[in-house]
């Protein structure tokens, strides 16, 4: 391997390590979570990102080797030598690339099918010893193993019934890769079809502050409702844990240590004194103890202190504490997001070209570099005008890229004439550095759309990637499993898009080292001709379904609260076309005067009507039960009950240690 190729490979590995570490730091919390969970998630994400970054180099080296093979063939056939082939500056020998792909691919397969599922069940298990957690992990993952073995058995039986094929280890390896890629292609159709449409739409929506503010109000009420539910559940579980601890006859009881562990976990949650007591320590309330006793008596185990009950309660407590902390942080994000968008809407209607913030504790983007360096004038033009147009322009560019990818997915299996624009571009610039850049951008966009769906995906309370260090261990491990299952078949699909598979391209004598490892998958004709070629057309159908929001409209018909298009809908109103927040934009604020030249420039502000403090305007979006309310143009502010007011006051006094941008909703929000 040349020195330049080695240096470039090392540079790519360092970039991938930094990218993975920054993302994992943004979503996870290595101080609070188990180090082994953080470590295996880091490895899973890093291996998948390495495939994306190294594959364009493999493609560039393949063109060079194809040129050499063509020269040798021409010399043997005609006796004349073709023009000399120019070796790429970052050329890597094929033997090294094959070994590299073998290590990366089989490491991903080991993680996604064996180690990560066991770690996922181990992290959320409620047992109090290592052996019990391992046993529960193996039982929980029996379904995963049986599913993979079933696909492998079907492929093996099909190959065994063909008399023209002799089964050996190499063919068994291809059968295993085929089964894994088939599973991954099914997920790719769902995730990529959604991401190709929703990624440009999300960027466009971010450039429309008015509609984004309506969605922020809707999300604020929804997150508040979730927080109240999680607080009530955690309070009941904490009371039950204390009640069980009181059932222990003495410290010599065999379950005394386990009961004490559960009780300490309940006390650490801060809800032993009830939700209205904030984070203070204390005894459970009478109502909580009564509810806990009823559950103990009505339990199918017959009540009393048992090992099974302690294990179940320990698992429920860990999950409830994580959900409550996550909902609390999401509520703070919703406040910050709504404050930021309200500032933009208020300043856009101002006749002063200075960006001013409203009153309240939730100042948007506090300490921003732009505000400190360039002043309120530049900040006004950026946030109120330039930012919106820049996001809309980026959305148009992403929409064009999505259309190009959809066209390529629908036409890449046609050998002649070549209708895939990516294949024409790559074949026209064989071996050039621009080809490597085009491949990197194309495969990067495909992965960005697919990973975008993974980061937006919400499966009840089982899986959800939450920024601001609030993602739980189960979701981190599950994301690593998804990445390891999606990336290898997605990259193999990309090689088909650019016609670098010798079974799709005519005249290509060399094949990539990645294809040499993965194979052409034509050993099983049913999968190669049916799934791996024509099944990606289903991406177009999923994209159309995402564009017309068929999933959200179906949920709306079923009575699930959600947002559709630019209007936020509420199924409680009874009218399908009523807007949830049918109200005028926030009025302009009464901004304070300044002294000197700045005060003279701010004189016209006195003509603007004042607005209530930000906390009041946010609190009127919430009721005691956390449900969103409907507004009319002349509606007076609605204030929550005493309990909700105390809760909001506690949130203002004890904000979480981190803050991040606004959350987003989408196609899978209400699944």
């Amino acid at each position: 391997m040349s020195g330049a190729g080695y240096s470039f490979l090392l540079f790519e590995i360092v970039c991938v390590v930094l990218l993975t570490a920054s993302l994992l730091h943004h979503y996870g919390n290595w101080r609070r979570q188990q180090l082994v969970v953080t470590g295996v998630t880091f490895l899973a994400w890093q291996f998948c990102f390495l495939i994306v970054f190294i594959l364009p180099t493999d493609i560039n080296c393949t063109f060079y080797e194809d040129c050499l093979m063509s020269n040798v063939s021409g010399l043997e056939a005609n006796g004349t030598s073709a023009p000399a082939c120019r070796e790429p500056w970052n050329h890597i020998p094929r033997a090294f690339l094959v070994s590299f792909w073998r290590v990366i691919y089989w490491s991903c397969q080991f993680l996604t099918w064996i180690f990560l599922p066991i770690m996922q069940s181990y992290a959320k298990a409620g047992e109090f010893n290592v052996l019990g957690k391992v046993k529960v992990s193996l039982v929980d993952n029996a379904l995963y193993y049986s599913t993979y073995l079933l696909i492998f058995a079907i492929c093996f039986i099909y190959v065994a019934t063909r008399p023209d094929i002799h089964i050996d280890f190499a063919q068994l390896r291809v059968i295993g890769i085929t089964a894994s890629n088939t599973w991954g292609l099914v997920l790719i159709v769902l995730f990529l079809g959604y991401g190709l449409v929703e990624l440009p739409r999300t960027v466009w929506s971010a450039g429309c502050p008015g509609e984004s503010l309506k969605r922020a109000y809707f999300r604020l009420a929804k997150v508040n409702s979730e927080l109240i539910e999680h607080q009530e559940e955690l309070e009941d579980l904490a009371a039950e844990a204390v009640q069980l601890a009181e059932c222990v006859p003495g410290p010599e009881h065999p379950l005394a240590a386990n009961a004490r562990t559960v009780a300490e976990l309940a006390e650490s949650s801060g809800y032993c004194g009830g939700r209205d007591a904030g984070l203070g320590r204390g005894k459970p309330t009478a109502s909580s103890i009564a509810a806990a006793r009823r559950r103990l008596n009505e339990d199918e185990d017959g009540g009393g202190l048992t090992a099974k009950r302690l294990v179940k309660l320990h698992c429920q407590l860990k999950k409830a504490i994580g959900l409550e902390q996550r909902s609390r942080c999401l509520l703070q994000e919703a406040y910050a997001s709504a404050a930021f968008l309200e500032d933009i809407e208020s300043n856009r209607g101002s006749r002063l070209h200075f960006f001013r913030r409203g009153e309240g504790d939730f100042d948007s983007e506090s300490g921003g570099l732009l505000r400190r360096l360039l002043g309120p004038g530049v900040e006004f033009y950026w946030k109120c005008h330039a930012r919106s147009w820049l996001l809309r322009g980026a959305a148009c560019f992403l929409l064009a890229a999505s259309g190009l990818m959809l066209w390529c997915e629908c036409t890449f299996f046609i050998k002649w004439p070549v209708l895939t624009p990516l294949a024409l571009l790559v074949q026209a610039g064989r071996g050039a550095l621009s080809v490597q850049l085009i491949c990197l951008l194309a495969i990067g966009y495909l992965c960005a759309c697919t990973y975008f769906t993974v980061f937006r995906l919400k499966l009840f309370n089982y899986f959800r990637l939450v920024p601001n260090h609030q993602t739980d261990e189960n979701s981190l491990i599950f994301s690593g499993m998804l990445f390891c299952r999606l990336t290898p078949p997605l990259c193999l699909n990309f090689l088909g898009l650019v016609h670098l598979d010798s079974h799709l391209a005519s005249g290509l004598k060399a094949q990539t080292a990645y294809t040499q490892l993965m194979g052409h998958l034509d050993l099983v004709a049913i999968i190669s001709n049916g799934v791996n070629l024509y099944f990606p057309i289903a991406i177009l159908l999923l994209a159309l379904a995402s564009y017309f929001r068929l999933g959200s409209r179906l949920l709306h018909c079923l009575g699930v609260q959600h947002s559709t298009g630019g209007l936020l809908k509420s199924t409680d109103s009874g009218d399908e076309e009523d807007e949830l927040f049918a109200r005028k934009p926030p009025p302009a604020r009464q901004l304070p005067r300044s002294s000197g030249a700045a005060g003279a420039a701010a004189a016209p502000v006195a003509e603007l009507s004042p607005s209530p403090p930000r906390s009041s305007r946010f609190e009127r979006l919430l009721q005691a039960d956390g449900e969103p309310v409907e507004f009319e143009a002349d509606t007076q502010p609605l204030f929550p009950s005493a309990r909700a007011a105390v809760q909001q006051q506690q949130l203002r006094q004890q904000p979480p240690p981190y803050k991040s941008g606004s959350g987003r909703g989408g196609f899978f929000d209400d699944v």
Side-chain angles (χ1 to χ4, degrees), residues 21 43 45 47 90 139 142 206 208 211 229 234 287 366 387 448 481 530:
L43 288 178
W45 290 15
F47 288 155
N90 59 343
V139 174
C208 302
E211 298 298 327
E229 293 177 1
L234 182 55
S287 60
S366 59
R387 178 179 175 271
M481 294 167 55

Side-chain angles (χ1 to χ4, degrees), residues 448-460:
C449 293
T450 306
Y451 296 162
F452 174 80
T453 307
V454 175
F455 283 99
R456 294 276 302 268
L457 183 62
K458 301 174 187 175
L459 297 176
F460 301 99

Side-chain angles (χ1 to χ4, degrees), residues 234-235 237-242 259-273 281 313-314 317 321:
L234 182 55
E235 180 187 354
L237 291 174
E240 183 177 352
V242 175
R260 184 169 58 254
T261 301
V262 175
E264 291 176 354
L265 180 62
E267 292 178 359
S268 66
S269 67
Y271 280 86
C272 285
R281 303 294 186 262
L313 182 59
H314 189 208
L317 261 179
I321 291 175

Side-chain angles (χ1 to χ4, degrees), residues 244-256:
L244 276 178
E246 294 177 354
C247 297
V248 179
E252 69 280 354
H253 194 274
L255 298 179

Side-chain angles (χ1 to χ4, degrees), residues 117-190:
I118 295 178
M119 281 299 305
Q120 185 182 26
S121 300
Y122 184 90
K124 65 180 182 180
E127 276 68 16
F128 298 93
N129 55 76
V130 177
L131 183 61
K133 292 184 178 181
V134 172
K135 181 180 178 180
V136 171
S137 302
L138 295 177
V139 174
D140 291 346
N141 290 279
L143 179 61
Y144 287 100
Y145 301 144
S146 60
T147 303
Y148 187 76
L149 290 177
L150 178 62
I151 299 176
F152 181 84
I154 294 175
C155 298
F156 181 80
I157 293 173
Y158 176 80
V159 173
T161 56
R162 294 182 57 179
D164 57 328
I165 297 180
H166 176 69
I167 300 179
D168 54 10
F169 177 76
Q171 292 174 339
L172 288 176
R173 175 179 59 84
V174 174
I175 292 176
I177 295 176
T178 302
S180 178
N181 288 338
T182 303
W183 182 284
L185 279 176
V186 174
L187 297 178
I188 288 174
V189 169
L190 296 175

Side-chain angles (χ1 to χ4, degrees), residues 572-593:
D572 297 333
S573 62
D575 188 359
E576 189 174 86
E577 300 298 329
D578 288 344
E579 296 185 23
L580 180 61
F581 297 105
R583 50 176 295 201
K584 295 181 180 180
R589 297 189 180 95
Q590 176 70 37
L591 301 176
R593 294 176 178 268

Side-chain angles (χ1 to χ4, degrees), residues 163 273 288 310 523 558 570 602 617:
S288 299
L310 285 175
L523 182 63
L558 297 177
S570 176
R617 286 184 278 113

